[in-house]
Amino acid sequence: MVRIGIIGSNGRMGQAIAQAIADAGLDLAGGVDRDGDVAGLAAKADVLIDFSSPDALEGNLDAAVAAKVPMVIGTTGLAERHHWLIDEAAAEIAVLQTGNTSLGVTLLAHLVREAAARLGSDWDIEIVETHHRMKVDAPSGTALLLGEAAAKGRDVTLGDVSDRGRDGITGTREEGHIGFAALRGGTVAGDHTVHFLADNERLALSHMAENRGIFAKGAVKAAQWVREKDAGRYTMPEVLGL
């Protein structure tokens, strides 16, 4: 029986993951929240799922490394420093980090990369995401994941071609750039559309999340998968064999 520990267990995602663990017939090793005993949880878990906060990530990684326990990280709003920390931890344990654990979004990112690779830079790429009013970061981790997929398809660095927060007189759109727009309101679990726009034609690839259960189900699947892996950094496409 796989024992899964949840970091951020009292949050909405944490509660959904606990239900997904039960639905899958797996064992919940326990859960912790802010200032909780992550080390104690890691000591009794076979794998950890972290949906807490960027500020807590370093301590969570330290606890996982000390216990030699694999980890799935679904926390969004990560900065470059956090990715350095994940890379360091991945030298000791298996770590799967993603901006979205949905299996549908994982496949969407694959399709976005394929489309971006085959359509020329004269096709403008715009990513629009909508989330509930309580979400605190923008663009969403999923929007950035999709932006990275598009950038990889074009063999460019997202940071070099990213356009965010247009306001006022911005001038004409620069060819080859990838734009982002974030909408907030209501109780939307997460809608994402990647628009490819050319002269006289448009292509839109979309994913709409109806509830957090899809993310929880994907996180549990990822946890089962990464538990069997050697130390290293892994991604959701690998879970699906993409």
Side-chain angles (χ1 to χ4, degrees):
M1 182 71 72
V2 180
R3 297 168 299 171
I4 301 176
I6 305 172
I7 304 174
S9 58
N10 286 339
R12 285 173 290 188
M13 268 305 302
Q15 294 176 49
I17 291 168
Q19 183 60 55
I21 291 171
D23 292 343
L26 303 175
D27 186 18
L28 177 61
V32 297
D33 284 279
R34 185 182 297 275
D35 299 324
D37 182 11
V38 180
L41 176 63
K44 60 183 180 181
D46 296 317
V47 59
L48 296 172
I49 299 178
D50 183 4
F51 274 85
S52 56
S53 70
D55 290 344
L57 182 60
E58 183 170 7
N60 296 342
L61 286 168
D62 287 344
V65 169
K68 298 297 182 183
V69 176
M71 190 172 181
V72 173
I73 300 170
T75 303
T76 59
L78 303 183
E80 186 175 3
R81 174 177 176 273
H82 296 115
H83 290 284
W84 293 341
L85 293 170
I86 293 170
D87 287 340
E88 289 180 355
E92 304 290 335
I93 60 172
V95 182
L96 189 153
Q97 182 272 323
T98 180
N100 191 303
T101 53
S102 159
L103 302 182
V105 166
T106 300
L107 183 57
L108 173 61
H110 177 74
L111 297 174
V112 167
R113 181 173 179 174
E114 291 294 304
R118 286 160 174 73
L119 300 175
S121 61
D122 56 323
W123 285 73
D124 302 323
I125 300 176
E126 294 284 323
I127 300 171
V128 181
E129 54 102 341
T130 305
H131 281 86
H132 54 87
R133 64 173 66 94
M134 302 302 291
K135 187 167 179 61
V136 298
D137 58 306
S140 69
T142 302
L144 294 173
L145 180 153
L146 296 171
E148 289 286 0
K152 287 178 181 177
R154 288 187 167 174
D155 196 24
V156 296
T157 300
L158 181 60
D160 295 338
V161 298
S162 177
D163 284 336
R164 306 186 193 180
R166 299 186 183 105
D167 184 42
I169 301 174
T170 61
T172 59
R173 193 185 196 285
E174 189 167 346
E175 182 174 324
H177 276 213
I178 298 172
F180 292 85
L183 286 67
R184 295 289 178 268
T187 57
V188 181
D191 293 350
H192 295 83
T193 299
V194 181
H195 297 271
F196 292 85
L197 308 100
D199 294 347
N200 305 312
E201 61 179 326
R202 291 174 289 169
L203 170 67
L205 300 174
S206 298
H207 178 273
M208 298 181 182
E210 297 183 1
N211 63 64
R212 291 177 183 80
I214 63 168
F215 308 123
K217 183 177 179 180
V220 170
K221 184 177 180 67
Q224 292 176 277
W225 182 89
V226 80
R227 176 177 177 260
E228 305 297 329
K229 299 301 175 183
D230 295 330
R233 185 164 180 171
Y234 299 94
T235 62
M236 282 300 294
E238 293 172 281
V239 176
L240 292 184
L242 298 175

